[in-house]
Amino acid sequence: MSTQQSFGLAKGDRLTWRYEVIEPIGAGTEGEVYKIREKATGLTRAAKLYFKSKEHNSKRFIRYARKLDALKDCDIVVKYLHAEEVWINDRFIYCLISEYFAGAILEDMMKTYRGRRMPAFEALNLIHALTTGIEEIHARKEFHGDLHKGNIFVERNGVFFRLRTIDFHEWGRTPATERRADVLSIARLLYDITGGRDHYKKQPQAIRDICMGNRSDLILKKFPTVFHLRAHLETFEW
């Protein structure tokens, strides 16, 4: 069965008897995320709709919902509320209802910067917030598995960043391997949001000491766990 591109829901569309669509938020390989309104209360929520049918997605959906529930005390994890089965396009699909986080998707936020490059100190602040959040997940022997600019929501609070992550994945690799992959993804994000290859040589040493030329072997040698990366971010000298 091929994966569809969009459910095409628009403002005012009824999602279930309880919810109506406000606007689309984003999309990934598994599905789309919409900002929705609970009709009885007017409260704002988020809904993730899975492209594949209920029959094709059952195990993945249940595993994902349970993972969100298990990590509900981690501040960086979007707060899972409940699950729905929704009838769209002549079939039942899974719909996961969660809190609505008002921050912008990191990929969209980067468009507001000149040249889509975040200044070094600001980028390090954001990466520290991300690292601290992922460390909470790793402390519970879990992992994210697919960190990138399209599934991190960012909200500014003064000089600080509040983050939420979505779209946890399980690729079939061992949890230890996935946790190392999270470390590499964080370093890669720093590399990307500060300008990538075209601007890497001009970056301050504080950036290059983490990105390590985007070499996985050097990054993991220096930061074998996310704890080592977080400790470095809190103690390095400029």
Side-chain angles (χ1 to χ4, degrees):
M1 179 179 176
S2 60
T3 300
Q4 69 183 80
Q5 296 300 310
S6 174
F7 292 107
L9 300 181
K11 182 177 180 179
D13 284 350
R14 177 175 160 178
L15 189 59
T16 70
W17 66 271
R18 297 176 61 181
Y19 299 105
E20 64 181 10
V21 173
I22 298 176
E23 61 183 354
I25 298 175
T29 58
E30 290 185 333
E32 290 182 317
V33 181
Y34 288 86
K35 181 180 178 181
I36 60 173
R37 180 183 294 108
E38 188 175 45
K39 291 191 284 187
T41 64
L43 294 174
T44 303
R45 306 293 188 211
K48 179 175 180 179
L49 306 179
Y50 286 75
F51 288 137
K52 291 185 178 180
S53 66
K54 173 184 172 182
E55 292 75 15
H56 285 78
N57 229 23
S58 178
K59 291 182 179 179
R60 181 186 293 270
F61 177 82
I62 292 170
R63 187 167 58 240
Y64 183 68
R66 288 177 175 174
K67 187 166 186 170
L68 286 183
D69 187 65
L71 297 173
K72 61 188 176 183
D73 293 331
C74 296
D75 188 58
I76 200 171
V77 177
V78 67
K79 302 302 181 278
Y80 165 74
L81 297 175
H82 63 90
E84 298 270 4
E85 292 182 16
V86 185
W87 182 257
I88 297 179
N89 298 335
D90 298 323
R91 60 190 176 93
F92 279 111
I93 62 164
Y94 277 123
C95 173
L96 188 148
I97 308 297
S98 65
E99 67 164 341
Y100 172 71
F101 186 69
I105 297 175
L106 179 57
E107 189 169 34
D108 292 335
M109 192 180 82
M110 293 307 302
K111 298 174 185 177
T112 67
Y113 289 89
R114 183 178 179 181
R116 301 193 179 189
R117 300 193 307 274
M118 187 179 288
F121 186 74
E122 194 172 348
L124 288 167
N125 271 344
L126 187 146
I127 291 298
H128 177 262
L130 178 60
T131 301
T132 302
I134 296 300
E135 186 179 15
E136 280 194 277
I137 295 173
H138 287 195
R140 289 162 171 78
K141 306 300 181 184
E142 276 289 356
F143 53 87
H144 186 282
D146 191 31
L147 289 168
H148 56 77
K149 289 183 288 185
N151 59 21
I152 298 171
F153 286 79
V154 183
E155 185 178 59
R156 291 187 181 93
N157 285 277
V159 298
F160 302 102
F161 291 100
R162 291 181 63 233
L163 308 180
R164 290 287 190 275
T165 57
I166 59 173
D167 286 346
F168 289 75
H169 286 289
E170 298 181 33
W171 301 114
R173 301 179 297 193
T174 66
T177 299
E178 294 285 7
R179 285 190 283 273
R180 287 193 292 271
D182 281 347
V183 174
L184 294 175
S185 293
I186 294 171
R188 180 58 192 248
L189 271 169
L190 179 59
Y191 180 84
D192 288 341
I193 65 178
T194 53
R197 184 180 61 183
D198 292 343
H199 298 271
Y200 182 70
K201 291 182 179 179
K202 299 177 183 178
Q203 295 299 336
Q205 194 63 41
I207 300 293
R208 288 184 281 134
D209 282 346
I210 295 173
C211 296
M212 307 294 286
N214 210 30
R215 284 187 54 182
S216 299
D217 56 336
L218 296 180
I219 294 169
L220 290 177
K221 182 178 180 180
K222 189 171 185 178
F223 309 115
T225 71
V226 74
F227 165 81
H228 292 86
L229 178 54
R230 194 264 304 159
H232 171 81
L233 284 163
E234 295 178 356
T235 58
F236 76 87
E237 296 183 2
W238 284 83

